[in-house]
């Protein structure tokens, strides 16, 4: 019931009753209990579309509590605080090989600042969601890219939980970014989407009927596995673009500086985009065939001009049969920006405990 209210901000008590497989009396009783517990608020009365009485709009109570989110990437950390209704504030800071303890200390400082900004106390937080670049191993730890190699030795959920004295849920950055997109971005229009996360590496998150798909080992969307070792050097990972620009003699020091570099050396970026386009097209066609999404979202840290360049080079391999071609997904650029993976990470405790 809470999930239904979350998914539709325009929901009224009457429209929710019509959706639920419960009697009107049962729905009203459950909503009254949620109201008494402080989870929902009854908003203004909304006139019915047809005959009937006005019905109150259902609102999640933002002051019921909050959740904290962290996203660890190769050169930066995003931090978020999300209230019960989905409102959020964020911060970020740069890292460059900083020790685990040093990063946790800075996260702690960011938590204090965000909680104060959102007017919450530590005891109002129900948990922490922590996302990291990399895939999940059988021992429950993550195997991140080279700049975060020292984090592979960390039991992330346990370390974060013990450090902040809160329950912790973990996932990879592509998944939490996809979750954020599903809840606040293009997921409002598409229930089935694939989120391509262009960062130092290249991954994906799969949303099926509004829910994140994890797979048997927690690595659904680990699309780097489809490349041969030779092809892996020509996949559309921004870390490889960074190396390409440096080899060409351009002073580009981090992923965040790539956007400015595109404006300075567009021809050099275009050469790289042409080289990696075949691998990207394979991914686009693979996720189309396997996940059958309505939309493929270009997200992560990719600058918008580069995302558009990839879309311009995209090619679907589907062939007509008997004069017809199967439905194909839209290719869209995420408009969320900011700390998308951290915001998605903050969703993890709320979804696990309440939604």
């Amino acid at each position: 019931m809470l999930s239904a209210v979350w998914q539709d901000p325009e929901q009224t008590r009457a429209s929710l009753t019509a959706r639920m497989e419960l009697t009107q009396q049962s729905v009203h009783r459950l909503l009254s209990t949620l109201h008494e517990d402080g989870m929902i608020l009854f908003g203004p009365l909304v006139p019915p579309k047809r005959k009937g009485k006005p019905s109150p709009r259902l609102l999640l109570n933002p002051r019921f509590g909050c959740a904290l989110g962290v996203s660890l990437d190769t050169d930066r950390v995003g931090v978020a605080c999300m209230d019960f209704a989905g409102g959020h504030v964020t911060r970020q800071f740069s890292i460059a090989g900083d020790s685990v303890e040093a990063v946790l200390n800075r996260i702690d400082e960011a938590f204090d600042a965000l909680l104060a900004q959102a007017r919450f106390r530590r005891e109002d937080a129900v948990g922490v969601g922590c996302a990291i670049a990399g895939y999940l191993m059988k021992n429950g730890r993550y195997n991140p890219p080279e700049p975060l190699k020292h984090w592979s030795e960390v039991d992330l959920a346990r370390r974060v939980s013990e450090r902040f004295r809160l329950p912790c849920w973990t996932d990879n950055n592509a998944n939490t970014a996809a979750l954020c997109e599903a809840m606040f971005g293009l997921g409002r229009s598409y229930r089935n989407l694939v989120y391509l996360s262009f960062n130092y590496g290249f991954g994906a998150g799969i949303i099926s009927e509004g829910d994140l798909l994890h797979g048997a080992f927690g690595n659904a969307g680990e699309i780097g596995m489809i490349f041969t070792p030779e092809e892996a050097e020509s996949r559309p990972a921004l870390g490889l673009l960074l190396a390409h620009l440096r080899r060409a003699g351009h002073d580009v020091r981090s992923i965040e500086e790539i956007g400015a570099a595109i404006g300075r050396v567009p021809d050099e970026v275009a050469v790289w985009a042409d080289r990696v386009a075949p691998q990207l097209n394979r991914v686009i066609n693979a996720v189309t065939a396997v996940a059958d999404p309505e939309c493929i979202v270009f997200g992560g840290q990719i600058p918008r001009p580069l995302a558009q360049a990839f879309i311009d080079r995209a090619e679907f391999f589907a062939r007509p049969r008997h004069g017809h071609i199967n439905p194909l997904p839209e290719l869209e650029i995420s408009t969320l920006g900011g700390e998308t993976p951290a915001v998605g990470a903050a969703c993890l405790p709320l979804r696990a405990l309440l939604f």
Side-chain angles (χ1 to χ4, degrees):
M1 192 170 287
L2 287 172
S3 180
V5 176
W6 174 282
Q7 291 172 9
D8 185 0
E10 302 300 314
Q11 190 94 243
T12 65
R13 186 169 62 187
S15 62
L16 179 64
T17 300
R19 291 178 56 184
M20 305 298 290
E21 295 180 358
L22 297 168
T23 65
Q24 182 186 64
Q25 293 83 356
S26 295
V27 172
H28 286 202
R29 185 174 63 254
L30 289 170
L31 287 174
S32 294
T33 300
L34 292 173
H35 180 262
E36 291 169 4
D37 290 342
M39 293 187 180
I40 66 168
L41 303 172
F42 292 126
L45 294 175
V46 178
K49 294 181 178 179
R50 298 183 180 84
K51 293 181 179 180
K53 297 180 180 180
S55 181
R57 177 165 292 159
L58 301 176
L59 306 168
L60 294 172
N61 180 8
R63 304 311 302 169
F64 178 74
C66 67
L68 300 167
V70 178
S71 169
L72 293 161
D73 217 320
T74 54
D75 57 355
R76 67 200 302 273
V77 175
V79 189
C81 176
M82 178 181 291
D83 66 39
F84 190 63
H88 50 270
V89 290
T90 65
R91 291 196 171 203
Q92 65 90 20
F93 56 87
S94 299
I95 55 174
D98 303 45
S99 70
V100 172
E101 191 60 30
V103 171
L104 291 176
N105 287 339
R106 295 185 67 184
I107 290 171
D108 199 17
E109 294 172 0
F111 280 167
D112 282 339
L114 291 175
L115 287 165
Q117 183 179 347
R119 296 183 295 110
F120 284 113
R121 302 165 299 172
R122 281 282 177 133
E123 50 265 38
D124 294 323
V126 299
V128 180
C130 190
I132 187 170
Y135 62 84
L136 187 61
M137 297 183 287
K138 283 189 174 181
N139 62 8
R141 299 181 181 183
Y142 287 86
N143 196 348
E146 187 65 28
L148 293 176
K149 182 180 179 181
H150 51 299
W151 285 87
S152 66
E153 303 169 2
V154 176
D155 185 330
L156 196 58
R158 176 178 293 183
R159 184 70 177 273
V160 171
S161 182
E162 290 176 350
R163 179 65 173 77
F164 300 110
R165 298 182 180 180
L166 286 167
C168 177
W169 288 261
T170 62
D171 213 323
N172 71 58
N173 285 350
N175 279 346
T176 60
L179 185 57
C180 184
E181 191 71 48
M183 300 181 83
F184 301 109
L186 288 162
R188 295 289 191 184
S189 301
Y190 304 104
R191 295 276 291 166
N192 299 275
L193 62 84
V194 172
Y195 182 96
L196 299 181
S197 188
F198 298 85
N199 303 94
Y200 184 90
F202 177 51
I206 303 171
I207 301 293
S208 178
E209 291 302 317
D211 289 327
L212 189 60
L213 182 66
H214 281 99
F217 303 108
N219 290 314
E222 189 61 33
I223 51 179
M225 296 175 65
I226 72 173
F227 303 121
T228 66
E230 294 75 22
E231 292 169 336
E233 295 304 311
S234 297
R235 70 193 192 282
L238 298 186
L240 294 177
L241 173 56
L242 187 64
H244 171 81
L245 293 173
R246 287 172 174 172
R247 284 195 302 270
H250 303 293
D251 184 22
V252 185
R253 302 181 183 182
S254 67
I255 300 296
E256 291 184 330
E257 293 183 12
I258 287 177
I262 291 174
R264 296 197 308 270
V265 288
D267 292 343
E268 198 72 60
V269 175
V271 168
W272 181 81
D274 287 338
R275 190 168 79 229
V276 303
Q279 280 65 251
L280 179 58
N281 281 331
R282 183 192 300 176
V283 168
I284 289 172
N285 283 273
V287 299
T288 297
V290 174
D292 193 26
E294 301 163 87
C295 177
I296 297 176
V297 184
F298 288 62
Q301 294 172 276
I302 189 170
R304 190 175 185 87
L306 180 56
Q308 188 59 57
F310 280 155
I311 290 175
D312 293 342
R313 290 166 170 78
E315 177 186 358
F316 285 104
F317 303 152
R319 298 179 299 278
R321 180 184 296 171
H322 310 308
H324 299 279
I325 194 167
N326 53 302
L328 298 172
E330 298 294 327
L331 302 180
E332 303 269 8
I333 303 172
S334 176
T335 59
L336 293 181
E339 305 309 318
T340 304
V343 174
C347 294
L348 297 178
L350 294 176
R351 286 171 67 93
L353 296 174
L354 300 163
F355 298 123

